[in-house]
Amino acid sequence: MSAQAQPPVRTQRSRDESGGAVTLLVMLMVPVFVLAAVVAAAVPRRLAAHSAADAAAGNLASLAVAWRDTQALDHGPVGWFFPECVPAGSGTPTGGEAAAQGPELRRACETLTESMLAGLSARGFDGDTVAGFYSSSYTTSAQTTTDDTEHPASLPCHAGGRTVVVDAVHLGLAADWATTDWAAAQTWPRGLRIGSEAVGAIRVNRAAGTIGEPACGDVLGLVPLDAHPADDGARQFAESLPTRTAFGR
């Protein structure tokens, strides 16, 4: 009677080692997959945060140029501007015309500020950290050209069609982000400081045959700093403005 063949010990051990290797691989890969999932969730939120910052900068730039025009202030701080007009806050309008229109200015500024802060908060920003600057009126720029055949960059300017830009203001802002969002906090534990900038302009339509202003060219087409354009005429123009007024914290 022959003895039943037993599986070789070496084969059994090989199977045990293979199972252990698979288990170890799973243990190593699971955190990687989890991290990838967290990053995949956080990145779109960061992009949405940048869009919210762009919208906030655009709204505040429009407010700044409107207030400069309404209050007849080419330089320095304007009345009824962020954050003095945060709802339930206080502020002091500047100039006789602004004082006469105080209630209307305040309501407009409070409404825009409340909407802006709500939009930033919904995207994970800390509204208490919003800070930035706005420039003098573009009509105060002393920038000139060295080429006598070209008109110096200036405002008012012809923006196409019957549209004329009569004034503009350059504004930048920044705020802390990822302070409340769990996925973003796992990817950027210390959060991020996200900024944006915009040019707010007052545009009017002129009747046919009355446009004599030079073309705006690239004066209003501000390119982000991180794009490193070779010839950024809009930024050179913005940097030629006499003053900048800080706001926020």
Side-chain angles (χ1 to χ4, degrees):
M1 181 177 181
S2 61
Q4 185 176 0
Q6 297 294 327
V9 175
R10 184 177 180 180
T11 303
Q12 187 65 43
R13 287 179 179 174
S14 298
R15 292 175 180 173
D16 292 343
E17 291 171 359
S18 298
V22 171
T23 301
L24 178 59
L25 181 62
V26 170
M27 293 175 63
L28 292 174
M29 291 303 296
V30 166
V32 174
F33 291 142
V34 171
L35 177 61
V38 170
V39 171
V43 169
R45 289 179 179 139
R46 179 178 177 178
L47 296 177
H50 278 282
S51 295
D54 291 343
N59 288 335
L60 282 181
S62 297
L63 181 65
V65 69
W67 271 197
R68 284 218 178 282
D69 181 66
T70 299
Q71 300 176 29
L73 293 169
D74 290 337
H75 307 286
V78 294
W80 302 130
F81 196 77
F82 181 87
E84 289 83 4
C85 58
V86 170
S90 61
T92 303
T94 307
E97 183 179 357
Q101 299 179 5
E104 289 75 15
L105 295 178
R106 178 165 187 153
R107 278 194 295 272
C109 189
E110 285 184 350
T111 299
L112 185 144
T113 298
E114 187 174 17
S115 175
M116 182 196 75
L117 290 177
L120 291 176
S121 177
R123 295 303 183 184
F125 284 95
D126 181 353
D128 291 334
T129 66
V130 177
F133 69 86
Y134 52 92
S135 71
S136 301
S137 295
Y138 269 44
T139 53
T140 66
S141 174
Q143 177 169 293
T144 59
T145 179
T146 57
D147 187 346
D148 294 337
T149 64
E150 295 182 8
H151 192 286
S154 62
L155 267 70
C157 62
H158 180 208
R162 311 308 308 171
T163 303
V164 171
V165 177
V166 296
D167 205 354
V169 164
H170 174 216
L171 178 140
L173 64 77
D176 292 343
W177 177 75
T179 55
T180 59
D181 185 272
W182 182 86
Q186 305 310 304
T187 309
W188 299 282
R190 296 183 179 180
L192 294 173
R193 187 77 174 167
I194 293 180
S196 184
E197 57 185 334
V199 175
I202 297 177
R203 304 170 187 266
V204 297
N205 290 325
R206 294 284 174 86
T210 62
I211 295 179
E213 292 81 4
C216 287
D218 297 329
V219 171
L220 304 180
L222 206 62
V223 178
L225 280 170
D226 55 10
H228 303 294
D231 183 19
D232 190 354
R235 186 164 300 281
Q236 294 173 8
F237 190 94
E239 292 175 351
S240 74
L241 299 171
T243 65
R244 281 169 173 73
T245 301
F247 64 85
R249 295 173 176 82

